[in-house]
Amino acid sequence: MKPSVMAAALAFAAALSVGGSALADTTHWDEAGWKNGVTECVKAPVHTEDRWIMNGNDRIYGKLFIPETGAGKKPLVIFSHELGCTHETGEIYAKVLSERGVLVYTFDYRGGGLKSRSSGTTRDMSVLTEVSDLEKVLKTAENWPEVDRNRIVI
């Protein structure tokens, strides 16, 4: 990952932590997830879960990156992939952010790409189906037990 992208991702993760630690119940982390100042960032272990969301009769596939930083609600980043791609393009960003205490959900739009795991084909996809998918993802994710619904970023 380019240093400028890494710096932006770290600044973003720190900004999400303002107003309360995203890294609750971890004694070796400070408020923004840093240890020993800016020069050394402690990386949390991360695991992933496949999360399917229904939109009408169609299924939206996504992967939730979950930092193992203790119990409590955490901020969430919803990664929306670019045209013709899948959730996989966001995985590098998801890993970096989740290692710093932020939940990240990266998903496939219905018909969003040839390798999409969601329902639909590229012929079925439009701006309107993308809006519908993103709205459904947001509404569903707000109710996940690990998500702080006041700190969701798309």
Side-chain angles (χ1 to χ4, degrees), residues 19-38:
S21 178
L23 309 163
D25 301 325
T26 55
T27 57
H28 63 281
W29 297 70
D30 71 11
E31 192 66 21
W34 297 94
K35 183 175 181 181
N36 299 330
V38 177

Side-chain angles (χ1 to χ4, degrees), residues 73-99:
K73 295 187 179 287
K74 296 171 180 55
L76 171 69
V77 171
I78 298 172
F79 180 85
S80 172
H81 66 77
E82 59 275 31
L83 182 64
C85 296
T86 68
H87 71 280
E88 292 175 350
T89 60
E91 288 188 353
I92 186 69
Y93 305 107
K95 186 174 184 323
V96 169
L97 289 170
S98 58
E99 285 175 342

Side-chain angles (χ1 to χ4, degrees), residues 95-109:
K95 186 174 184 323
V96 169
L97 289 170
S98 58
E99 285 175 342
R100 283 138 183 98
V102 178
L103 294 162
V104 181
Y105 185 68
T106 176
F107 70 98
D108 293 346
Y109 283 106

Side-chain angles (χ1 to χ4, degrees), residues 43-56:
K43 296 179 182 178
V46 174
H47 71 275
T48 61
E49 290 180 7
D50 291 346
R51 297 253 175 128
W52 292 89
I53 295 174
M54 294 302 296
N55 191 352

Side-chain angles (χ1 to χ4, degrees), residues 54-80:
M54 294 302 296
N55 191 352
N57 292 326
D58 293 330
R59 295 174 57 174
I60 299 170
Y61 171 77
K63 187 183 288 189
L64 182 64
F65 288 73
I66 304 167
E68 297 175 12
T69 56
K73 295 187 179 287
K74 296 171 180 55
L76 171 69
V77 171
I78 298 172
F79 180 85
S80 172

